[in-house]
């Protein structure tokens, strides 16, 4: 009976996720608020069904955990989803509901897979998610990542973390957001050649510090953020081509200067014959994806815990093994719909500063998704970044929630701007119509005759 339920559930997961993904792109196509409200309600229903199905499987299969603890965690997470999906749209009527739904769907999937992989770790992750709105974070930018270079804790061959009171966090996760805000403020004021040179030097300083500390994933994200924000600010496509040409040269230089970079490239080129430690991670990831196939083994029927770093860098491999390749592709499509929604919010901004923030944060999010998935499937070398909102990691989840909160704030501003612009257009049309009517009446009136 248990095996039958798990087998049926894996197809239900795929069906629910496929329906949810279809609704995501349906919401992008329509501007009708009534239709979007219906889509939002259907998506909410799918989120709750997916979460309840997943946590039911966790309840019956988590042998090492007290069932009461599973019920308590599930109850707390359900309350969280109800509050976010039910109360936030009431408090903020102009909030982007599709982005809100996508955030909760990805969080729900993360809650399920982390409860399956590491129940204690999933509790910690949920606590961070719950209190994120109460946290106030102050980051000193490049100075903080310079501290990492000097006193950082070495993690998998890279200096990524600072450790304070036993809690390790990655400053670069939060510096990315500050970097976007800085560039938006700088490039919105001026984007002549002198300003471009200054911004390039400052951006290069961030990237070089990260490369020196071998945090290659964050370095690449910083580079992509700068390149596309510069393009949006200047409107010059040549900067994209020049940027990628410079990146190619810098990649070759980094390959010869840093042994850590050479290892990543060797692992990517031929993990099967490599004796490096990371080769086992790549091979385990590829085997798990192949084993899962299209429909997956079923929750608790695979062995995702055999994949090194499955809770972080290789979470998509663990999902592919038990939920299936189709489900994993649908997650990627939901992430893509998030990115498109970010760009839609950007297009509704009147201020160039706001527009640049949306684009920068959108590129940050999209690049991180591509790097995580690409590394797990051996499309690109490993970069050591997590899948936003799904992978385990306090710094990652916190910075991503801040990113989504900023986008939502700008979405509200964009809706208000659109309403003001439409009101002005309507006022102009009315004024023009009255003027034309007055001219028409004046033209048809008979002129007085004088004897």
């Amino acid at each position: 009976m248990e095996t039958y339920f798990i087998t049926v559930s894996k197809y239900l997961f795929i069906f629910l996720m496929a329906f949810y993904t279809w609704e995501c792109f349906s919401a992008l196509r329509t501007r009708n608020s009534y239709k979007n409200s219906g889509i939002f309600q259907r998506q909410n229903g799918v989120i709750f069904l997916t979460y309840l199905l997943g946590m039911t499987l966790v309840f019956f299969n988590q042998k090492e955990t007290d069932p009461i603890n599973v019920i308590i965690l599930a109850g707390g997470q359900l309350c969280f989803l109800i509050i976010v999906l039910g109360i936030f749209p009431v408090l903020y009527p102009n909030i982007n509901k599709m982005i809100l739904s996508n955030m909760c769907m990805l969080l729900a999937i993360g809650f399920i897979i982390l409860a399956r992989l590491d129940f204690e770790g999933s509790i910690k992750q949920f606590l961070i998610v719950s209190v994120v709105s109460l946290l106030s974070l102050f980051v000193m930018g490049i100075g903080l990542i310079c501290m990492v270079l000097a006193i950082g804790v070495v993690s998998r061959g890279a200096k990524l973390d600072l450790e304070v009171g036993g809690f390790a966090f990655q400053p670069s996760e939060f510096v990315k957001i500050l970097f976007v805000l800085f560039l938006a403020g700088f490039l919105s004021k001026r984007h002549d050649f002198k300003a471009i040179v200054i911004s390039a030097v400052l951006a290069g300083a961030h990237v070089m510090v990260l490369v020196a500390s071998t945090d290659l994933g964050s370095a690449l994200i910083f580079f992509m953020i700068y390149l596309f924000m510069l393009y949006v600010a200047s409107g010059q496509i040549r900067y994209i081509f020049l940027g990628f040409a410079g990146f190619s040269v810098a990649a070759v230089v980094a390959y010869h200067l840093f042994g850590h970079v050479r290892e990543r490239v060797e692992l990517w080129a031929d993990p099967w014959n490599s004796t490096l430690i990371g080769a086992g991670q790549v091979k385990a990831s590829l085997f798990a994806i192949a084993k899962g196939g299209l429909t997956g083994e079923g929750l608790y029927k695979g062995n995702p815990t055999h994949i090194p770093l499955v809770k972080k860098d290789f979470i998509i491999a663990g999902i592919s093994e038990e939920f299936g390749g189709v489900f994993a592709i649908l997650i990627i499509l939901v992430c893509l719909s998030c990115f498109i929604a970010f760009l839609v919010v950007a297009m509704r901004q009147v201020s160039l500063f706001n527009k640049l923030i949306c684009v920068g944060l959108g590129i940050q999010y999209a690049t991180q998704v591509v790097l995580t998935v690409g590394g797990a499937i051996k499309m690109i070398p490993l970069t050591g970044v997590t899948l936003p909102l799904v992978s385990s990691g306090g710094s990652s989840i916190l910075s991503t929630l801040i990113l989504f909160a900023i986008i939502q704030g700008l979405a509200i501003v964009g809706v208000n701007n659109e309403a003001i612009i439409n009101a002005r257009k309507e006022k102009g049309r009315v004024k023009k119509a009255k003027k034309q009517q007055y001219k028409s009446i004046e033209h048809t009136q008979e002129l007085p005759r004088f004897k």
Side-chain angles (χ1 to χ4, degrees):
M1 184 65 182
E2 180 183 341
T3 303
Y4 175 77
F5 180 58
I6 292 175
T7 301
V8 172
S9 68
K10 70 179 185 179
Y11 293 106
L12 284 175
F13 278 124
I14 293 173
F15 173 76
L16 290 170
M17 196 65 184
F19 179 77
Y20 181 89
T21 305
W22 173 265
E23 294 287 32
C24 283
F25 288 92
S26 297
L28 289 172
R29 289 196 303 268
T30 180
R31 296 290 297 276
N32 187 299
S33 59
Y34 180 76
K35 289 184 178 179
N36 275 331
S37 179
I39 290 172
F40 178 63
Q41 292 174 5
R42 291 192 293 272
Q43 284 184 318
N44 287 356
V46 173
I47 292 170
F48 285 110
L49 287 174
T50 302
Y51 177 78
L52 289 172
L53 178 60
M55 291 307 290
T56 300
L57 290 169
V58 172
F59 176 79
F60 286 113
N61 292 276
Q62 190 73 321
K63 307 300 183 183
E64 300 177 359
T65 304
D66 188 341
I68 299 299
N69 292 335
V70 178
I71 294 174
I72 293 172
L73 177 63
Q77 290 175 343
L78 271 176
C79 289
F80 168 80
L81 292 173
I82 291 170
I83 291 171
V84 173
L85 292 172
I87 296 179
F88 277 29
V90 175
L91 296 177
Y92 306 100
N94 291 333
I95 198 171
N96 190 305
K97 294 178 180 178
M98 195 193 81
I99 294 177
L100 185 69
S101 293
N102 286 355
M103 182 189 77
C104 288
M105 185 57 161
L106 293 172
L107 283 173
I109 293 170
F111 290 158
I112 296 168
I113 192 66
L114 292 178
R116 184 265 183 267
L117 296 172
D118 178 13
F119 191 81
E120 297 298 325
S122 69
I123 295 175
K124 180 180 177 181
Q125 179 96 336
F126 174 59
L127 290 175
I128 293 173
V129 171
S130 301
V131 302
V132 64
S133 59
L134 304 177
L135 296 178
S136 179
L137 205 60
F138 300 94
V139 184
M140 294 178 290
I142 191 171
L144 196 53
I145 55 177
C146 285
M147 288 172 58
V148 176
L149 180 61
I151 62 173
V153 178
V154 176
S155 174
R156 305 192 302 276
K159 290 182 178 179
L160 305 177
D161 304 338
L162 283 177
E163 190 167 343
V164 180
F167 176 76
F169 67 98
Q170 293 186 16
S172 61
E173 292 288 345
F174 307 103
V175 178
K176 293 170 193 171
I177 297 175
L178 293 181
F179 182 69
V180 170
L181 297 177
F182 157 74
L183 277 182
F186 188 85
L187 294 176
S188 63
K189 298 297 182 183
R190 48 183 296 199
H191 40 267
D192 54 16
F193 181 74
K194 183 179 179 180
I196 290 172
V197 171
I198 294 172
S199 63
V201 171
L202 293 173
H206 283 81
V207 172
M208 289 305 297
V209 170
L210 290 167
V211 170
S213 61
T214 61
D215 187 359
L216 304 179
S218 293
L220 184 55
I221 292 172
F222 273 77
F223 169 76
M224 296 296 289
I225 289 172
Y226 172 72
L227 194 60
F228 282 93
M229 287 184 70
L230 177 60
Y231 164 67
V232 172
S234 64
Q236 300 291 327
I237 191 66
R238 61 181 177 180
Y239 291 128
I240 298 288
F241 294 105
L242 289 173
F244 280 113
F247 170 76
S248 301
V249 174
V252 173
V253 173
Y255 176 83
H256 289 91
L257 288 180
F258 301 105
H260 188 71
V261 177
R262 286 194 297 274
E263 288 183 6
R264 296 287 178 90
V265 174
E266 290 174 13
L267 287 175
W268 168 69
D270 189 9
W272 311 108
N273 296 318
S274 176
T275 58
L276 296 171
I277 297 176
Q281 301 171 359
V282 179
K283 288 187 283 188
S285 174
L286 295 176
F287 278 128
I289 294 171
K291 184 181 177 183
L294 292 176
T295 58
E297 295 281 297
L299 199 61
Y300 283 91
K301 289 300 180 181
N303 296 294
T305 52
H306 293 175
I307 307 170
L309 303 174
V310 66
K311 296 184 297 180
K312 295 180 179 288
D313 302 8
F314 293 96
I315 192 75
I316 198 70
I319 290 172
S320 297
E321 182 176 0
E322 295 202 331
F323 290 86
V326 173
F327 191 89
I329 292 171
L330 292 171
I331 289 177
I332 296 170
L333 290 176
V334 171
C335 294
L336 174 62
S337 70
C338 275
F339 175 63
I340 296 173
F342 290 173
L343 296 185
V344 171
V345 172
M347 288 188 290
R348 292 179 179 174
Q349 303 301 313
V350 175
S351 164
L352 179 59
F353 174 73
N354 291 351
K355 192 185 297 289
L356 288 172
I357 291 177
C358 291
V359 171
L361 294 179
I363 292 297
Q364 174 187 333
Y365 175 80
T367 304
Q368 189 162 337
V369 172
V370 170
L371 293 179
T372 306
V373 176
I377 65 175
K378 196 182 165 295
M379 184 179 74
I380 57 175
L382 293 175
T383 52
V385 296
T386 56
L387 185 62
L389 299 176
V390 180
S391 296
S392 174
S395 302
S396 175
I397 195 74
L398 184 57
S399 64
T400 305
L401 288 172
I402 292 172
L403 183 154
F404 271 74
I406 294 173
I407 292 292
Q408 286 288 16
L410 293 175
I412 294 172
V413 171
V415 172
N416 293 337
N417 287 339
E418 199 170 30
I420 293 171
I421 291 171
N422 290 336
R424 288 177 178 174
K425 287 181 178 178
E426 183 64 26
K427 185 178 179 180
R429 283 195 293 267
V430 171
K431 187 176 181 180
K432 185 177 180 181
K434 287 182 177 180
K435 189 175 181 180
Q436 289 177 344
Q437 185 181 12
Y438 176 77
K439 285 184 177 180
S440 176
I441 293 172
E442 186 181 49
H443 180 73
T444 56
Q445 282 181 340
E446 277 190 32
L447 293 174
R449 296 181 180 179
F450 295 98
K451 293 183 179 179

